[in-house]
Amino acid sequence: MKKNIIINKNNFFIFSLFECGCFSMATITTTIIIIICLLPATQAKYMFYNTTMAIDPHKINVHLVPHSHDDVGWLKTIDQYYAGANNSIRGACVQNVLDSVISALLDDPNRRFIYVEMAFFQRWWRQQSDTLKAEVRDLVNSGRLEFINGGMCMHDEATPHYIDMIDQTTLGHRFIKHEFNQKPRVGWQIDPFGHSAVQAYLLGAELGFDSLFFARIDYQDRAKRKTDKSLEVVWQGSQSLGSSSQIFTGIFPVHYSPPDGFTFEVNDVSAPIQDDLTLFDYNVKERVDDFVIAALAQANVTRTNHIMWTMGEDFRYQYALSWFRQMDKFIHYVNMDGRVNALYSTPSIYTEAKHTANEKWPLKTGDFFPYADRENAYWTGYFTSRPALKGYVRMMSGYLLAARQLEFFKGRSNLGPNTDALADALAIAQHHDAITGTEREHVAADYAMRLSIGYTEAEKVVAASLAFLAESKLSTRHNNPVTKFEQCPLLNISYCPPTEANLLNGKSLVVVAYNPIGWKRVEIIRIPVSSQGLIVQDSDGREIESQLIPISSASLSTRNYHLKGNLGGSATDSDKYWLAFSASVPPLGFSTYIVSSSRKTGSRSVISKWSLSERDSNNTIEVGQGNLKLLYTADEGKLTSYINSRNQVTAFAGQSYGYYSGYNGTDRVNQASGAYIFRPNGTFPVKSDSQVPLTVVRGPLLDEIHQQLSSWLHQVTRVYKEKEHAEVEFTIGPIPVDDGVGKEVIARIATSLRSNRTFYTDSNGRDFIKRVRDYRSDWDLQVHQPIAGNYYPINLGIYLEDEDIELSVLVDRAVGATSLVDGQIEVMLHRRLLNDDARGVGEALNEEVCVHNTCKGLMIQGKFYLRIDPRGEGAKWRRAFGQEIYSPLLLAFAEQDGNNWMGTHVAAFSAIDPAYSLPENIAIITLQELENGKVLLRLAHLYETGEDRDYSVMEKVELKKLFPGKKISKVTEMNLSANQERSEMEKKRLEWRVEGASEERRGLRGGAFDPTRLEVELAPSEIRTFEVEFDYIRMFGS
Ligand SMILES: [Zn+2]
C-alpha cells in the first residue's frame, strides 16, 4: 500500500513552516494566509506519513505502545468477549481486535502492537488459515507483533497462589515458544489492583523478564513518586535472592490509557488530526501542540529522555486502523515539528532505551499492597470477595498438582483423558477479574463450570492411574486395570456415596490415600459412613484405631440443602457418622486402608462421646488428648487458653466473630463497600440469638467443640491428639441482609502478645512481608481508613510475634487479614453487599444459591488453623503444614468383594526410593509429563533466608532417588516458565544500576546442576525448574 508514494508538495511546504517551532501570531497569520492562498491549487492526494522508527538521543522520545487490555472474563465470559456475544452488556469482541490489528500491521511495516492474553490469542490462532499464520509469524519474528507477559491471562497478584501463577504463565509461554519460538521479555500487569513481591522476582526476574509495567499503586504513593521522579525503580521482591532476582519496574503516571485526548476508538471523542486542506477543521498544529504539551508533562516526572504512552484501553482496536491512522499522523507531524521525537514502540524497545541510558534507579523492596485509588477507596475487599470461588480454585489447584503426578506415573495420553482441561480452566481462573471475585455473577459461574469440567476429566486420569498402580502386581491385567476408583469432591458437605454404602454381605470399603508431598505424612482422614461397628485395617492388615463422630444436625441440613442444589432431587440421610482414622502415607505415594463391618466385638471404632456442659471444678472445659489443650469457659463457651505441654507455651487466647456493615455509598464521597472496595461503616460482634451451649465431642484421635454462634454461623474446632494446632471449620451464611445492610464477616483471634503494631503476611503463599499498622515504608501515610487501609491479602497465613511467642493463623484459600490491635489477628471470611462500588462491575456482591427457584444468600464452609509457638519456632509449622494444606491427601475409594484386596493389589506405593524422602524444606511444585514426553520438574525451597535456624539452609535433592528404576538420560535446567534454558536466560539478562546502593546484596544461589551426580542444590527461596528426559517413560510395573 505504501509503495507508490506521491508527496503533496504544497502540504509539505506548509508543514516545513511548522518545523521552525516558533509560532508567533504573525507566523500563524502568515500560515493561514498561505493556506488560504494555496487552497485553490491544493488537491487532496495520497499522503505519505513517515513513521520509521528512530530514537533521537537528543530529544524526548515518546514511545507509542499500541495495546488492547482484554480481560479474560469480567462483565462477560471469556468466550462472550472473544466472539462478541452479549454485546448489550458491553460492545467487546476480541476476535475483531485481533483480525483488525493483524490487518493494520500487515498494511504498514512501521506499525507495532503488543499482545498479552494467550487465552484469547489461542482461540483466534486456531481459526486462522496457514497463509495468515505464516504472515503472523513474520510479524512476530520482525518484532512488529510482540507477545508480552504471555501467560494465559493477566493474573491477579493478591489472591492467586504462586504455583497457579507459575502454571498459568508456563502454559502461555510454552504456547508462544511452540508456535513462534519466542520468549516474552516484559511483564505487563497493567490492571491488577496492587502488586506483589512474588510477581516482581518470581513471575518477573525468574522468567527472564527485563522489566515489569503496571498502572495501579496507592494514590499517595504515586503522588510522591511523581515528585521524586521515582515511578521507575529497580524492584527486589525477594529478601533472600536480593539483586540476583531484581527487575526494572515502571509505574505509569496516570493509568494504562493514553494521555487525555489521544484515544481513537471509533466512538472516542478525542479530536483526530485533520490534515486534509480541502476539508474544514484543519488542526495539525493544535494537535501537535497538544501532543508536545502532554509529552513534556510526562517527561517532567520521568527520568531519562524516554517516556511511554500506552496507546490503548479495555477491548480497544476493534477497528485498529482508527488508532493507527492517527498514530501514523502524529508520528509524522510531531517529528516534523521536532520539539519531541515520537515513534512506534513496544515495552521491550522502551526497556532497552532505559537500559542504554545507564541511569541509576531507586531501589524498591516489599510490595505495592494495599492499593487505594483515593482517600476512602481501599481495594482490600476483593482479597475475600467470592470466598467459595476462591476456595474452589485452591482446591482444584492442589488437585491438579497431584493429578499431574499420577498422570506421569501411568503415562500421559495426549488424546485424553488428561489434565489439560483442568490446567486450562485454572489458568483462566487466575485472571484479575476471576479469582478476585470482581466479575459478574454469571461470569463467576462460567469459571466454576470450566473448573468442574476440567476436574471431571482429571478425576478419570487419577482413577485410572491409581488402578494401574494398585494392580501392577497383576501382570495379566496390568494394562487394562479393572478397579473402579471413585472420588468424592463433595466430602466437605459429608457426601460420598462409596463410603456411605452399607458394608454388608462381606463387602468392604477400600480407601486409598495418595500423598503428593515429597515427605511422609501422618494425618487423620475423615469419611462419612452410615453404620457403626466398623473396623479399619492398614496395608499390612493390622487393625488401627478409629473413631466415629456423629454428624451434627447442622451439618446434615447443610448437606441436604446443597445436595438438592448440586444434584437435584432429595438426598438421603444415610450417613450418620464421620469415621476418623490415622493414615500414614509415604512420599509421592499411597497407603491403602480397608474399612469393614466388624464381626467380633471389642475391637471396633470408638463412638465419640457427646456432652453439652461438662465442666471441671474451675468451671472450665478442657479439650485435647495430646500436647495441645484448649480451655473454654463452661458458662459462655468462650475459648480462654491455649496450652502446649510439650514446649510449655501457655497463652491467653480468645476467639470470636464479628462483622463490618458495608457503607452504602450515599455519603459525601459516594463510595460504597463492594466487590473491590472495603469500606466499613461500623463493626459489630456476632451474637448468638439465644444462649447455645457448646457441644464437646471426645475420642481417642480428636476432640471437637461444636458451636452454633448464630442462626447463620456455625463453628467446629478440632484438636487432634497428634497435632499441635487447632483446626477451625466455619460455616457462614446466608449472611442476613434483610435489614438492608451488607455485611463483611470476620474471625478474630485475640492473645496478649505485645506485637508492637507489627504483623507478617505472605505474598502469594510464599515470602512473608513485614507490615506495620498505619505505616508504609515508601511514604508518610495519611490514614483515612484505619481498618480497610490495614488489610492485606493472605494465601498461606498471617503471624505476629513478641519477645517470647508467636501466633500464626493459616488459611485454606485467599482471604484478607490484618492485625488492628496488638496481639490480635483478624481474617475476613465472607462478604455479602448490596451496593456496587463503582469500579465497573456494575453489580452488587450479593451471591445467592438457588434451589428449586428459591434463592438464599451463599453459605460457605472453610477452615483456618491456629498455633502458638515459642518465638523462632513457628516457621517450621507454617511452611510444612502450609504445604499440607495446599496438597491435602487425595482420597479414592473402591469396593472390595471378599477379603483378598491386599493379596492382589499393591497396597502401599511410593514413586521415590523407599529409603529416600525430600527434606522438609523442599517441595515438588511441579511433576508433569509434557506433550513431548519430557518431564517438567520444579523444586521449591520453602524457607526464606533467616526464617528458621534449621531449615533456612542450602539443601540438596537427589534426582536418582526421586526417579528410582528409571534411567535419566538428560536433565536441562530451565527458566521458571520452561520456555528457555536457564543459562540462555541469564546471558540475556540486563544489569541495572541501583541508586545509593553501597554494596550489592546478591543473595545465595544453589550451585550449577551436577549432571553426573544428578543432584540439585537449592538455596533459601529458590525455585529451580528442569526438563528431565528418560530412556523410557513408563516406570511402574513395566
Ligand atoms: Zn482488567
Side-chain angles (χ1 to χ4, degrees):
M1 180 177 167
K2 293 283 157 99
K3 298 282 151 55
N4 300 312
I5 300 158
I6 304 163
I7 297 174
N8 181 327
K9 293 268 167 44
N10 292 338
N11 279 356
F12 198 71
F13 171 63
I14 292 161
F15 304 129
S16 62
L17 276 181
F18 285 143
E19 266 186 356
C20 75
C22 48
F23 295 97
S24 65
M25 275 312 287
T27 318
I28 292 169
T29 315
T30 318
T31 309
I32 292 168
I33 291 165
I34 292 170
I35 292 169
I36 293 167
C37 296
L38 289 171
L39 272 179
T42 303
Q43 289 179 315
K45 283 187 181 167
Y46 174 73
M47 268 294 300
F48 167 72
Y49 300 111
N50 182 2
T51 55
T52 319
M53 190 205 97
I55 284 172
D56 185 336
H58 306 295
K59 288 180 181 167
I60 287 161
N61 291 277
V62 185
H63 294 250
L64 301 179
V65 174
H67 77 104
S68 179
H69 177 67
D70 299 342
D71 289 304
V72 177
W74 181 36
L75 309 179
K76 310 202 289 190
T77 67
I78 175 173
D79 287 350
Q80 291 167 353
Y81 274 127
Y82 177 69
N86 229 343
N87 267 0
S88 59
I89 292 177
R90 169 92 192 239
C93 171
V94 175
Q95 196 170 11
N96 282 348
V97 173
L98 285 163
D99 280 344
S100 78
V101 161
I102 297 304
S103 153
L105 292 178
L106 291 172
D107 279 350
D108 184 335
N110 292 331
R111 292 174 181 161
R112 292 171 188 273
F113 195 79
I114 54 171
Y115 204 74
V116 177
E117 296 86 4
M118 288 306 114
F120 281 128
F121 191 84
Q122 281 183 355
R123 279 164 169 72
W124 182 82
W125 183 245
R126 60 189 181 224
Q127 297 174 337
Q128 305 311 310
S129 69
D130 287 345
T131 320
L132 190 76
K133 280 185 175 176
E135 290 180 307
V136 173
R137 285 202 175 94
D138 285 345
L139 289 177
V140 172
N141 288 334
S142 61
R144 290 145 67 195
L145 174 64
E146 185 178 330
F147 297 114
I148 66 170
N149 228 28
M152 297 295 282
C153 65
M154 184 183 294
H155 54 222
D156 178 47
E157 296 180 37
T159 57
H161 193 275
Y162 73 93
I163 294 179
D164 288 328
M165 296 163 93
I166 295 172
D167 281 349
Q168 84 90 9
T169 307
T170 301
L171 268 186
H173 279 197
R174 290 185 67 91
F175 166 78
I176 295 168
K177 173 82 191 312
H178 183 255
E179 294 292 337
F180 301 95
N181 198 27
Q182 294 286 327
K183 297 124 200 170
R185 302 287 304 270
V186 174
W188 189 255
Q189 290 285 113
I190 59 175
D191 198 23
F193 328 133
H195 300 279
S196 74
V198 155
Q199 180 66 32
Y201 82 94
L202 207 53
L203 281 305
E206 298 291 309
L207 293 173
F209 285 177
D210 289 318
S211 57
L212 166 64
F213 296 93
F214 49 74
R216 297 186 187 273
I217 64 166
D218 187 283
Y219 69 103
Q220 296 178 22
D221 192 9
R222 193 195 304 274
K224 174 156 191 288
R225 289 180 183 280
K226 280 165 88 164
T227 314
D228 298 352
K229 288 196 180 184
S230 59
L231 284 165
E232 291 175 325
V233 296
V234 168
W235 187 0
Q236 291 179 5
S238 163
Q239 286 190 28
S240 311
L241 300 177
S243 66
S244 74
S245 216
Q246 67 188 16
I247 189 163
F248 177 79
T249 302
I251 303 151
F252 305 143
V254 184
H255 199 46
Y256 56 76
S257 35
D260 282 349
F262 295 90
T263 55
F264 299 107
E265 200 71 13
V266 173
N267 290 321
D268 283 346
V269 296
S270 298
I273 295 192
Q274 207 293 81
D275 60 348
D276 185 336
L277 287 162
T278 65
L279 305 179
F280 288 178
D281 307 325
Y282 182 92
N283 65 358
V284 174
K285 179 190 173 315
E286 294 94 306
R287 296 282 17 211
V288 168
D289 283 350
D290 294 342
F291 190 102
V292 173
I293 289 165
L296 294 178
Q298 188 170 341
N300 259 337
V301 297
T302 311
R303 299 185 190 195
T304 78
N305 60 340
H306 293 276
I307 60 170
M308 189 201 294
W309 281 15
T310 45
M311 299 303 292
E313 248 283 359
D314 297 9
F315 300 101
R316 301 303 157 97
Y317 291 75
Q318 294 193 63
Y319 181 57
L321 191 56
S322 156
W323 286 86
F324 282 114
R325 183 193 290 131
Q326 295 305 319
M327 285 187 286
D328 285 351
K329 294 183 185 187
F330 273 110
I331 292 171
H332 178 81
Y333 293 123
V334 164
N335 292 347
M336 284 177 77
D337 171 86
R339 284 174 286 173
V340 300
N341 182 52
L343 62 149
Y344 277 122
S345 185
T346 66
S348 310
I349 295 169
Y350 179 77
T351 302
E352 233 12 275
K354 287 284 174 182
H355 184 254
T356 309
N358 203 25
E359 178 85 23
K360 284 191 169 181
W361 304 95
L363 178 68
K364 162 72 185 170
T365 57
D367 64 5
F368 290 93
F369 285 116
Y371 162 60
D373 58 4
R374 49 189 160 91
E375 255 178 45
N376 295 297
Y378 277 90
W379 296 46
T380 53
Y382 81 93
F383 300 160
T384 300
S385 296
R386 299 196 190 279
L389 180 64
K390 285 181 164 78
Y392 192 37
V393 168
R394 179 61 54 82
M395 180 183 160
M396 289 297 107
S397 174
Y399 189 83
L400 175 64
L401 185 144
R404 276 177 167 167
Q405 294 176 352
L406 287 162
E407 182 175 44
F408 161 57
F409 298 154
K410 181 172 185 292
R412 176 193 153 88
S413 161
N414 283 340
L415 298 173
N418 55 43
T419 53
D420 295 358
L422 181 56
D424 192 68
L426 262 172
I428 291 166
Q430 310 307 320
H431 165 59
H432 59 270
D433 290 304
I435 189 169
T436 49
T438 55
E439 68 281 55
R440 290 217 173 151
E441 184 91 25
H442 79 105
V443 180
D446 183 71
Y447 293 121
M449 186 175 69
R450 287 169 193 277
L451 288 169
S452 166
I453 292 168
Y455 170 80
T456 305
E457 189 177 338
E459 198 181 37
K460 292 193 183 94
V461 176
V462 166
S465 178
L466 287 174
F468 169 84
L469 296 170
E471 290 182 21
S472 57
K473 268 187 183 173
L474 307 169
S475 55
T476 48
R477 54 179 217 229
H478 187 48
N479 287 322
N480 292 301
V482 295
T483 308
K484 296 273 174 278
F485 278 112
E486 291 183 73
Q487 293 156 74
C488 294
L490 297 180
L491 256 186
N492 66 332
I493 54 165
S494 74
Y495 178 68
C496 186
T499 67
E500 293 170 50
N502 269 317
L503 299 174
L504 300 171
N505 309 322
K507 286 203 164 82
S508 48
L509 170 72
V510 179
V511 181
V512 168
Y514 176 74
N515 171 22
I517 291 182
W519 61 78
K520 178 188 156 183
R521 63 207 267 199
V522 177
E523 66 186 58
I524 301 293
I525 289 176
R526 291 193 310 139
I527 52 174
V529 293
S530 53
S531 56
Q532 309 179 8
L534 301 173
I535 61 165
V536 181
Q537 290 166 289
D538 69 9
S539 312
D540 299 323
R542 280 188 302 255
E543 186 183 334
I544 58 169
E545 198 167 34
S546 60
Q547 181 179 347
L548 281 172
I549 303 160
I551 294 181
S552 68
S553 56
S555 302
L556 278 178
S557 74
T558 303
R559 162 198 154 101
N560 290 343
Y561 178 74
H562 288 96
L563 283 183
K564 266 188 234 162
N566 272 291
L567 305 173
S570 61
T572 60
D573 262 356
S574 66
D575 60 332
K576 303 277 191 309
Y577 303 96
W578 284 108
L579 172 68
F581 58 92
S582 176
S584 167
V585 193
L588 256 66
F590 61 75
S591 298
T592 308
Y593 296 87
I594 308 280
V595 180
S596 52
S597 294
S598 165
R599 268 162 244 122
K600 354 171 234 187
T601 51
S603 62
R604 52 174 60 178
S605 49
V606 177
I607 300 177
S608 301
K609 285 193 295 252
W610 282 65
S611 59
L612 283 183
S613 53
E614 52 169 88
R615 61 187 71 192
D616 63 15
S617 53
N618 298 325
N619 220 17
T620 297
I621 297 171
E622 179 188 295
V623 294
Q625 308 289 325
N627 292 334
L628 173 63
K629 308 242 182 285
L630 298 182
L631 304 191
Y632 291 78
T633 61
D635 297 332
E636 292 182 294
K638 286 207 158 94
L639 176 66
T640 56
S641 302
Y642 176 107
I643 300 167
N644 185 331
S645 56
R646 181 185 59 83
N647 56 21
Q648 306 299 320
V649 165
T650 298
F652 159 80
Q655 192 235 327
S656 59
Y657 289 88
Y659 64 85
Y660 295 103
S661 55
Y663 234 109
N664 62 11
T666 55
D667 66 328
R668 178 183 56 84
V669 296
N670 202 15
Q671 179 60 62
S673 208
Y676 306 86
I677 286 166
F678 171 34
R679 188 171 179 221
N681 184 17
T683 168
F684 307 90
V686 170
K687 284 199 210 106
S688 29
D689 308 330
S690 58
Q691 187 65 31
V692 185
L694 81 180
T695 309
V696 184
V697 179
R698 293 181 192 278
L701 300 173
L702 73 151
D703 288 356
E704 291 185 345
I705 303 283
H706 292 241
Q707 291 163 291
Q708 185 76 44
L709 296 159
S710 86
S711 59
W712 51 273
L713 208 165
H714 184 259
Q715 167 178 294
V716 180
T717 306
R718 300 194 177 95
V719 181
Y720 296 94
K721 187 180 174 191
E722 302 295 336
K723 305 280 176 186
E724 296 183 2
H725 64 260
E727 171 185 301
V728 178
E729 182 178 87
F730 52 85
T731 306
I732 301 175
I735 297 174
V737 289
D738 35 15
D739 55 359
V741 179
K743 296 177 186 66
E744 318 188 35
V745 181
I746 51 131
R748 203 175 276 139
I749 293 102
T751 66
S752 52
L753 259 83
R754 298 166 303 274
S755 50
N756 194 23
R757 306 157 64 89
T758 305
F759 53 106
Y760 299 82
T761 62
D762 70 86
S763 178
N764 304 111
R766 211 156 158 75
D767 311 63
F768 274 98
I769 298 182
K770 180 178 176 175
R771 315 294 188 184
V772 178
R773 200 157 59 242
D774 294 335
Y775 174 82
R776 304 286 188 271
S777 53
D778 289 358
W779 77 96
D780 199 3
L781 178 70
Q782 288 179 289
V783 179
H784 300 286
Q785 287 285 320
I787 298 165
N790 282 307
Y791 256 76
Y792 291 87
I794 63 171
N795 279 273
L796 170 58
I798 173 171
Y799 72 93
L800 322 164
E801 58 187 13
D802 65 10
E803 310 83 66
D804 305 319
I805 54 175
E806 50 188 284
L807 161 70
S808 314
V809 172
L810 301 185
V811 292
D812 65 350
R813 70 196 69 190
V815 294
T818 185
S819 172
L820 296 176
V821 176
D822 281 358
Q824 286 192 12
I825 283 176
E826 179 174 310
V827 184
M828 186 179 288
L829 299 174
H830 196 3
R831 320 177 72 217
R832 187 180 186 192
L833 296 162
L834 303 177
N835 299 94
D836 176 53
D837 53 4
R839 292 303 182 280
V841 69
E843 236 180 43
L845 184 73
N846 182 4
E847 293 182 277
E848 292 192 325
V849 172
C850 300
V851 178
H852 302 325
N853 299 322
T854 311
C855 299
K856 292 204 288 189
L858 175 72
M859 181 189 282
I860 59 149
Q861 190 178 73
K863 288 177 188 167
F864 62 85
Y865 308 85
L866 78 102
R867 175 161 160 148
I868 305 175
D869 286 286
R871 183 171 184 191
E873 291 180 20
K876 285 188 178 70
W877 178 68
R878 290 191 293 269
R879 292 303 181 181
F881 187 65
Q883 208 57 32
E884 296 182 7
I885 297 172
Y886 177 81
S887 275
L889 290 174
L890 188 160
L891 301 181
F893 309 97
E895 191 184 77
Q896 177 189 222
D897 234 340
N899 196 21
N900 59 348
W901 181 278
M902 296 302 186
T904 53
H905 292 79
V906 172
F909 161 84
S910 173
I912 70 174
D913 188 305
Y916 188 63
S917 153
L918 279 190
E920 274 201 31
N921 49 3
I922 303 292
I924 297 176
I925 61 167
T926 312
L927 177 58
Q928 175 194 1
E929 184 180 336
L930 300 168
E931 270 174 68
N932 58 13
K934 294 180 185 175
V935 171
L936 188 62
L937 171 71
R938 273 194 198 93
L939 297 166
H941 198 302
L942 295 173
Y943 288 74
E944 296 170 66
T945 300
E947 189 176 358
D948 185 87
R949 63 179 168 271
D950 302 317
Y951 284 130
S952 292
V953 293
M954 190 72 84
E955 199 64 73
K956 269 203 179 100
V957 174
E958 301 177 53
L959 296 193
K960 272 183 195 158
K961 293 184 175 171
L962 268 192
F963 304 105
K966 282 174 69 71
K967 190 150 183 297
I968 296 174
S969 57
K970 193 175 174 202
V971 179
T972 313
E973 178 154 21
M974 307 295 285
N975 71 329
L976 187 68
S977 61
N979 68 351
Q980 58 194 302
E981 292 192 21
R982 173 128 199 145
S983 54
E984 179 194 342
M985 176 191 96
E986 293 290 359
K987 260 183 250 155
K988 289 185 301 193
R989 192 193 287 284
L990 299 180
E991 297 290 332
W992 298 92
R993 302 199 308 152
V994 173
E995 206 173 62
S998 49
E999 72 185 75
E1000 216 181 341
R1001 222 170 32 83
R1002 268 205 75 78
L1004 196 60
R1005 292 274 182 175
F1009 175 72
D1010 179 346
T1012 45
R1013 299 171 62 93
L1014 294 175
E1015 281 182 355
V1016 178
E1017 206 176 39
L1018 290 118
S1021 281
E1022 250 194 324
I1023 294 180
R1024 296 181 74 171
T1025 305
F1026 299 92
E1027 268 185 9
V1028 186
E1029 293 168 60
F1030 297 98
D1031 274 354
Y1032 52 91
I1033 193 81
R1034 296 286 180 274
M1035 68 190 296
F1036 298 101
S1038 355

